[in-house]
PDB file of all heavy atoms in Angstrom:
ATOM      1  N   LEU E 286    -112.357   4.243  45.380  1.00 96.00           N
ATOM      2  CA  LEU E 286    -112.796   5.529  45.932  1.00 96.00           C
ATOM      3  C   LEU E 286    -114.296   5.499  46.241  1.00 96.00           C
ATOM      4  O   LEU E 286    -114.754   6.052  47.232  1.00 96.00           O
ATOM      5  CB  LEU E 286    -112.493   6.663  44.945  1.00 96.00           C
ATOM      6  CG  LEU E 286    -111.026   7.092  44.848  1.00 96.00           C
ATOM      7  CD1 LEU E 286    -110.813   8.038  43.666  1.00 96.00           C
ATOM      8  CD2 LEU E 286    -110.573   7.760  46.138  1.00 96.00           C
ATOM      9  N   LYS E 287    -115.056   4.838  45.385  1.00 97.00           N
ATOM     10  CA  LYS E 287    -116.505   4.726  45.582  1.00 97.00           C
ATOM     11  C   LYS E 287    -116.825   3.862  46.800  1.00 97.00           C
ATOM     12  O   LYS E 287    -117.777   4.118  47.530  1.00 97.00           O
ATOM     13  CB  LYS E 287    -117.139   4.129  44.320  1.00 97.00           C
ATOM     14  CG  LYS E 287    -118.657   4.076  44.347  1.00 97.00           C
ATOM     15  CD  LYS E 287    -119.188   3.553  43.010  1.00 97.00           C
ATOM     16  CE  LYS E 287    -120.701   3.451  43.029  1.00 97.00           C
ATOM     17  NZ  LYS E 287    -121.232   2.930  41.747  1.00 97.00           N
ATOM     18  N   GLY E 288    -116.001   2.825  47.011  1.00 96.00           N
ATOM     19  CA  GLY E 288    -116.157   1.987  48.199  1.00 96.00           C
ATOM     20  C   GLY E 288    -117.202   0.899  48.090  1.00 96.00           C
ATOM     21  O   GLY E 288    -117.428   0.147  49.043  1.00 96.00           O
ATOM     22  N   LYS E 289    -117.856   0.790  46.948  1.00 96.00           N
ATOM     23  CA  LYS E 289    -118.844  -0.274  46.744  1.00 96.00           C
ATOM     24  C   LYS E 289    -118.948  -0.564  45.253  1.00 96.00           C
ATOM     25  O   LYS E 289    -118.435   0.196  44.415  1.00 96.00           O
ATOM     26  CB  LYS E 289    -120.208   0.127  47.303  1.00 96.00           C
ATOM     27  CG  LYS E 289    -120.822   1.349  46.649  1.00 96.00           C
ATOM     28  CD  LYS E 289    -122.194   1.653  47.250  1.00 96.00           C
ATOM     29  CE  LYS E 289    -122.842   2.848  46.536  1.00 96.00           C
ATOM     30  NZ  LYS E 289    -124.185   3.136  47.044  1.00 96.00           N
ATOM     31  N   ILE E 290    -119.614  -1.664  44.908  1.00 97.00           N
ATOM     32  CA  ILE E 290    -119.739  -2.071  43.512  1.00 97.00           C
ATOM     33  C   ILE E 290    -121.196  -2.429  43.228  1.00 97.00           C
ATOM     34  O   ILE E 290    -121.779  -3.253  43.933  1.00 97.00           O
ATOM     35  CB  ILE E 290    -118.827  -3.280  43.208  1.00 97.00           C
ATOM     36  CG1 ILE E 290    -117.362  -2.901  43.462  1.00 97.00           C
ATOM     37  CG2 ILE E 290    -119.005  -3.760  41.771  1.00 97.00           C
ATOM     38  CD1 ILE E 290    -116.402  -4.070  43.416  1.00 97.00           C
ATOM     39  N   ASP E 291    -121.797  -1.777  42.221  1.00 97.00           N
ATOM     40  CA  ASP E 291    -123.189  -2.063  41.880  1.00 97.00           C
ATOM     41  C   ASP E 291    -123.286  -2.597  40.449  1.00 97.00           C
ATOM     42  O   ASP E 291    -122.282  -2.821  39.775  1.00 97.00           O
ATOM     43  CB  ASP E 291    -124.060  -0.822  42.074  1.00 97.00           C
ATOM     44  CG  ASP E 291    -123.561   0.378  41.274  1.00 97.00           C
ATOM     45  OD1 ASP E 291    -122.960   0.165  40.195  1.00 97.00           O
ATOM     46  OD2 ASP E 291    -123.763   1.523  41.713  1.00 97.00           O
ATOM     47  N   LYS E 292    -124.496  -2.791  39.980  1.00 97.00           N
ATOM     48  CA  LYS E 292    -124.719  -3.380  38.657  1.00 97.00           C
ATOM     49  C   LYS E 292    -124.112  -2.540  37.537  1.00 97.00           C
ATOM     50  O   LYS E 292    -123.537  -3.076  36.586  1.00 97.00           O
ATOM     51  CB  LYS E 292    -126.231  -3.548  38.416  1.00 97.00           C
ATOM     52  CG  LYS E 292    -126.878  -4.652  39.218  1.00 97.00           C
ATOM     53  CD  LYS E 292    -128.368  -4.746  38.875  1.00 97.00           C
ATOM     54  CE  LYS E 292    -129.051  -5.860  39.671  1.00 97.00           C
ATOM     55  NZ  LYS E 292    -130.486  -5.956  39.350  1.00 97.00           N
ATOM     56  N   ILE E 293    -124.275  -1.225  37.656  1.00 97.00           N
ATOM     57  CA  ILE E 293    -123.720  -0.338  36.627  1.00 97.00           C
ATOM     58  C   ILE E 293    -122.192  -0.486  36.573  1.00 97.00           C
ATOM     59  O   ILE E 293    -121.588  -0.500  35.499  1.00 97.00           O
ATOM     60  CB  ILE E 293    -124.104   1.134  36.895  1.00 97.00           C
ATOM     61  CG1 ILE E 293    -125.613   1.330  36.712  1.00 97.00           C
ATOM     62  CG2 ILE E 293    -123.328   2.075  35.982  1.00 97.00           C
ATOM     63  CD1 ILE E 293    -126.101   1.155  35.282  1.00 97.00           C
ATOM     64  N   ASP E 294    -121.562  -0.614  37.738  1.00 97.00           N
ATOM     65  CA  ASP E 294    -120.106  -0.768  37.791  1.00 97.00           C
ATOM     66  C   ASP E 294    -119.654  -2.035  37.079  1.00 97.00           C
ATOM     67  O   ASP E 294    -118.720  -2.005  36.261  1.00 97.00           O
ATOM     68  CB  ASP E 294    -119.622  -0.805  39.246  1.00 97.00           C
ATOM     69  CG  ASP E 294    -119.855   0.502  39.972  1.00 97.00           C
ATOM     70  OD1 ASP E 294    -119.685   1.559  39.339  1.00 97.00           O
ATOM     71  OD2 ASP E 294    -120.218   0.466  41.167  1.00 97.00           O
ATOM     72  N   VAL E 295    -120.277  -3.170  37.421  1.00 97.00           N
ATOM     73  CA  VAL E 295    -119.827  -4.432  36.815  1.00 97.00           C
ATOM     74  C   VAL E 295    -120.144  -4.458  35.317  1.00 97.00           C
ATOM     75  O   VAL E 295    -119.423  -5.085  34.539  1.00 97.00           O
ATOM     76  CB  VAL E 295    -120.435  -5.670  37.513  1.00 97.00           C
ATOM     77  CG1 VAL E 295    -119.940  -5.791  38.932  1.00 97.00           C
ATOM     78  CG2 VAL E 295    -121.949  -5.682  37.459  1.00 97.00           C
ATOM     79  N   TYR E 296    -121.212  -3.759  34.912  1.00 97.00           N
ATOM     80  CA  TYR E 296    -121.527  -3.674  33.481  1.00 97.00           C
ATOM     81  C   TYR E 296    -120.489  -2.828  32.756  1.00 97.00           C
ATOM     82  O   TYR E 296    -119.959  -3.221  31.711  1.00 97.00           O
ATOM     83  CB  TYR E 296    -122.918  -3.086  33.279  1.00 97.00           C
ATOM     84  CG  TYR E 296    -123.225  -2.788  31.818  1.00 97.00           C
ATOM     85  CD1 TYR E 296    -123.488  -3.822  30.930  1.00 97.00           C
ATOM     86  CD2 TYR E 296    -123.229  -1.471  31.349  1.00 97.00           C
ATOM     87  CE1 TYR E 296    -123.737  -3.555  29.586  1.00 97.00           C
ATOM     88  CE2 TYR E 296    -123.493  -1.197  30.008  1.00 97.00           C
ATOM     89  CZ  TYR E 296    -123.744  -2.237  29.130  1.00 97.00           C
ATOM     90  OH  TYR E 296    -123.987  -1.968  27.800  1.00 97.00           O
ATOM     91  N   GLN E 297    -120.191  -1.647  33.301  1.00 96.00           N
ATOM     92  CA  GLN E 297    -119.287  -0.718  32.618  1.00 96.00           C
ATOM     93  C   GLN E 297    -117.828  -1.160  32.673  1.00 96.00           C
ATOM     94  O   GLN E 297    -117.089  -1.002  31.703  1.00 96.00           O
ATOM     95  CB  GLN E 297    -119.422   0.680  33.231  1.00 96.00           C
ATOM     96  CG  GLN E 297    -120.762   1.344  32.944  1.00 96.00           C
ATOM     97  CD  GLN E 297    -120.878   2.713  33.584  1.00 96.00           C
ATOM     98  OE1 GLN E 297    -120.139   3.047  34.523  1.00 96.00           O
ATOM     99  NE2 GLN E 297    -121.806   3.527  33.091  1.00 96.00           N
ATOM    100  N   LYS E 298    -117.414  -1.732  33.796  1.00 97.00           N
ATOM    101  CA  LYS E 298    -115.997  -2.042  33.979  1.00 97.00           C
ATOM    102  C   LYS E 298    -115.668  -3.520  33.782  1.00 97.00           C
ATOM    103  O   LYS E 298    -114.508  -3.896  33.672  1.00 97.00           O
ATOM    104  CB  LYS E 298    -115.544  -1.574  35.359  1.00 97.00           C
ATOM    105  CG  LYS E 298    -115.624  -0.049  35.494  1.00 97.00           C
ATOM    106  CD  LYS E 298    -115.296   0.431  36.872  1.00 97.00           C
ATOM    107  CE  LYS E 298    -115.200   1.946  36.923  1.00 97.00           C
ATOM    108  NZ  LYS E 298    -116.418   2.626  36.475  1.00 97.00           N
ATOM    109  N   GLY E 299    -116.691  -4.373  33.778  1.00 96.00           N
ATOM    110  CA  GLY E 299    -116.450  -5.785  33.546  1.00 96.00           C
ATOM    111  C   GLY E 299    -116.148  -6.550  34.824  1.00 96.00           C
ATOM    112  O   GLY E 299    -115.819  -5.976  35.857  1.00 96.00           O
ATOM    113  N   VAL E 300    -116.227  -7.865  34.725  1.00 96.00           N
ATOM    114  CA  VAL E 300    -116.068  -8.713  35.902  1.00 96.00           C
ATOM    115  C   VAL E 300    -114.624  -8.746  36.390  1.00 96.00           C
ATOM    116  O   VAL E 300    -114.360  -8.876  37.594  1.00 96.00           O
ATOM    117  CB  VAL E 300    -116.595 -10.143  35.607  1.00 96.00           C
ATOM    118  CG1 VAL E 300    -115.695 -10.881  34.628  1.00 96.00           C
ATOM    119  CG2 VAL E 300    -116.769 -10.934  36.891  1.00 96.00           C
ATOM    120  N   TYR E 301    -113.652  -8.623  35.482  1.00 97.00           N
ATOM    121  CA  TYR E 301    -112.231  -8.688  35.867  1.00 97.00           C
ATOM    122  C   TYR E 301    -111.855  -7.520  36.782  1.00 97.00           C
ATOM    123  O   TYR E 301    -111.357  -7.722  37.894  1.00 97.00           O
ATOM    124  CB  TYR E 301    -111.358  -8.692  34.610  1.00 97.00           C
ATOM    125  CG  TYR E 301    -109.868  -8.600  34.874  1.00 97.00           C
ATOM    126  CD1 TYR E 301    -109.204  -9.585  35.602  1.00 97.00           C
ATOM    127  CD2 TYR E 301    -109.126  -7.522  34.387  1.00 97.00           C
ATOM    128  CE1 TYR E 301    -107.844  -9.501  35.844  1.00 97.00           C
ATOM    129  CE2 TYR E 301    -107.771  -7.433  34.614  1.00 97.00           C
ATOM    130  CZ  TYR E 301    -107.135  -8.418  35.339  1.00 97.00           C
ATOM    131  OH  TYR E 301    -105.787  -8.326  35.581  1.00 97.00           O
ATOM    132  N   ILE E 302    -112.118  -6.315  36.324  1.00 98.00           N
ATOM    133  CA  ILE E 302    -111.793  -5.111  37.097  1.00 98.00           C
ATOM    134  C   ILE E 302    -112.608  -5.087  38.392  1.00 98.00           C
ATOM    135  O   ILE E 302    -112.094  -4.767  39.472  1.00 98.00           O
ATOM    136  CB  ILE E 302    -112.078  -3.837  36.271  1.00 98.00           C
ATOM    137  CG1 ILE E 302    -111.143  -3.760  35.063  1.00 98.00           C
ATOM    138  CG2 ILE E 302    -111.948  -2.581  37.136  1.00 98.00           C
ATOM    139  CD1 ILE E 302    -109.671  -3.683  35.393  1.00 98.00           C
ATOM    140  N   SER E 303    -113.895  -5.430  38.292  1.00 98.00           N
ATOM    141  CA  SER E 303    -114.775  -5.400  39.464  1.00 98.00           C
ATOM    142  C   SER E 303    -114.318  -6.401  40.526  1.00 98.00           C
ATOM    143  O   SER E 303    -114.391  -6.121  41.726  1.00 98.00           O
ATOM    144  CB  SER E 303    -116.216  -5.698  39.051  1.00 98.00           C
ATOM    145  OG  SER E 303    -116.682  -4.738  38.123  1.00 98.00           O
ATOM    146  N   SER E 304    -113.840  -7.562  40.101  1.00 97.00           N
ATOM    147  CA  SER E 304    -113.376  -8.592  41.050  1.00 97.00           C
ATOM    148  C   SER E 304    -112.113  -8.144  41.780  1.00 97.00           C
ATOM    149  O   SER E 304    -111.947  -8.410  42.969  1.00 97.00           O
ATOM    150  CB  SER E 304    -113.117  -9.907  40.312  1.00 97.00           C
ATOM    151  OG  SER E 304    -114.310 -10.447  39.822  1.00 97.00           O
ATOM    152  N   ILE E 305    -111.218  -7.473  41.063  1.00 97.00           N
ATOM    153  CA  ILE E 305    -109.993  -6.961  41.696  1.00 97.00           C
ATOM    154  C   ILE E 305    -110.354  -5.953  42.782  1.00 97.00           C
ATOM    155  O   ILE E 305    -109.861  -6.013  43.905  1.00 97.00           O
ATOM    156  CB  ILE E 305    -109.057  -6.315  40.647  1.00 97.00           C
ATOM    157  CG1 ILE E 305    -108.513  -7.377  39.690  1.00 97.00           C
ATOM    158  CG2 ILE E 305    -107.906  -5.577  41.343  1.00 97.00           C
ATOM    159  CD1 ILE E 305    -107.735  -6.805  38.514  1.00 97.00           C
ATOM    160  N   ALA E 306    -111.237  -5.011  42.426  1.00 98.00           N
ATOM    161  CA  ALA E 306    -111.668  -3.993  43.390  1.00 98.00           C
ATOM    162  C   ALA E 306    -112.392  -4.636  44.567  1.00 98.00           C
ATOM    163  O   ALA E 306    -112.207  -4.233  45.717  1.00 98.00           O
ATOM    164  CB  ALA E 306    -112.561  -2.969  42.700  1.00 98.00           C
ATOM    165  N   ALA E 307    -113.205  -5.653  44.282  1.00 97.00           N
ATOM    166  CA  ALA E 307    -113.951  -6.337  45.349  1.00 97.00           C
ATOM    167  C   ALA E 307    -113.012  -6.974  46.357  1.00 97.00           C
ATOM    168  O   ALA E 307    -113.230  -6.883  47.575  1.00 97.00           O
ATOM    169  CB  ALA E 307    -114.868  -7.403  44.736  1.00 97.00           C
ATOM    170  N   GLU E 308    -111.941  -7.604  45.868  1.00 96.00           N
ATOM    171  CA  GLU E 308    -110.971  -8.240  46.769  1.00 96.00           C
ATOM    172  C   GLU E 308    -110.353  -7.214  47.717  1.00 96.00           C
ATOM    173  O   GLU E 308    -110.234  -7.443  48.922  1.00 96.00           O
ATOM    174  CB  GLU E 308    -109.879  -8.933  45.959  1.00 96.00           C
ATOM    175  CG  GLU E 308    -108.846  -9.643  46.831  1.00 96.00           C
ATOM    176  CD  GLU E 308    -107.651 -10.149  46.042  1.00 96.00           C
ATOM    177  OE1 GLU E 308    -107.453  -9.701  44.896  1.00 96.00           O
ATOM    178  OE2 GLU E 308    -106.896 -10.967  46.593  1.00 96.00           O
ATOM    179  N   ILE E 309    -109.988  -6.056  47.167  1.00 97.00           N
ATOM    180  CA  ILE E 309    -109.347  -5.007  47.977  1.00 97.00           C
ATOM    181  C   ILE E 309    -110.347  -4.395  48.964  1.00 97.00           C
ATOM    182  O   ILE E 309    -109.993  -4.076  50.107  1.00 97.00           O
ATOM    183  CB  ILE E 309    -108.745  -3.918  47.058  1.00 97.00           C
ATOM    184  CG1 ILE E 309    -107.661  -4.532  46.161  1.00 97.00           C
ATOM    185  CG2 ILE E 309    -108.155  -2.770  47.888  1.00 97.00           C
ATOM    186  CD1 ILE E 309    -107.212  -3.638  45.030  1.00 97.00           C
ATOM    187  N   LEU E 310    -111.586  -4.251  48.527  1.00 97.00           N
ATOM    188  CA  LEU E 310    -112.620  -3.659  49.386  1.00 97.00           C
ATOM    189  C   LEU E 310    -113.165  -4.651  50.414  1.00 97.00           C
ATOM    190  O   LEU E 310    -113.945  -4.284  51.289  1.00 97.00           O
ATOM    191  CB  LEU E 310    -113.778  -3.136  48.527  1.00 97.00           C
ATOM    192  CG  LEU E 310    -113.485  -1.900  47.665  1.00 97.00           C
ATOM    193  CD1 LEU E 310    -114.620  -1.648  46.683  1.00 97.00           C
ATOM    194  CD2 LEU E 310    -113.235  -0.681  48.546  1.00 97.00           C
TER     195      LEU E 310
END
Side-chain angles (χ1 to χ4, degrees):
L286 285 170
K287 185 176 178 181
K289 62 179 183 178
I290 299 170
D291 56 30
K292 288 181 180 180
I293 293 293
D294 295 322
V295 294
Y296 172 73
Q297 291 179 341
K298 295 175 172 57
V300 70
Y301 173 62
I302 295 298
S303 300
S304 293
I305 293 172
E308 181 189 16
I309 298 168
L310 290 169

